[in-house]
Amino acid sequence: MKQGIHPENYRFVVFKDMSNGHSFLSRSTTPTRETVKWEDGNEYPLIKLEISNTSHPFYTGKNVLVDTAGRIDKFNKRYKKDVK
């Protein structure tokens, strides 16, 4: 690794998936003002995630219905040939 380009202020942080409530403890340099009490009784900074490996369709194997009609309309609008 190159010297001097990586941050040195890593600390333990709790990441919480807001879609299903799953939390995990890891290290990060991301700033946050919120804190949460962890399973070990200590209080750690909290980072809220919209999606994680426990809720992402690729990792869970569940397909989520996406707005396909909107995507199809957008595709047709973009690539529509002018037929005269």
Side-chain angles (χ1 to χ4, degrees):
M1 291 192 308
K2 288 186 177 181
Q3 298 297 321
I5 63 170
H6 299 283
E8 296 184 14
N9 59 340
Y10 282 99
R11 66 192 193 289
F12 283 103
V13 183
V14 173
F15 290 91
K16 182 174 183 179
D17 185 339
M18 300 309 291
S19 65
N20 64 8
H22 176 75
S23 299
F24 58 94
L25 183 67
S26 187
R27 295 181 60 147
S28 177
T29 60
T30 305
T32 183
R33 294 181 182 181
E34 296 181 65
T35 60
V36 67
K37 191 165 215 147
W38 187 240
E39 299 164 355
D40 62 3
N42 293 325
E43 196 163 310
Y44 295 102
L46 175 67
I47 307 272
K48 294 180 179 177
L49 304 173
E50 292 182 23
I51 195 164
S52 72
N53 65 327
T54 59
S55 61
H56 193 282
F58 178 80
Y59 296 107
T60 60
K62 297 178 184 175
N63 290 333
V64 177
L65 181 61
V66 185
D67 180 21
T68 55
R71 288 184 178 192
I72 292 170
D73 291 339
K74 190 184 291 185
F75 176 84
N76 288 336
K77 183 178 172 184
R78 182 179 291 165
Y79 297 106
K80 179 179 165 185
K81 292 184 178 182
D82 291 326
V83 179
K84 293 181 182 181

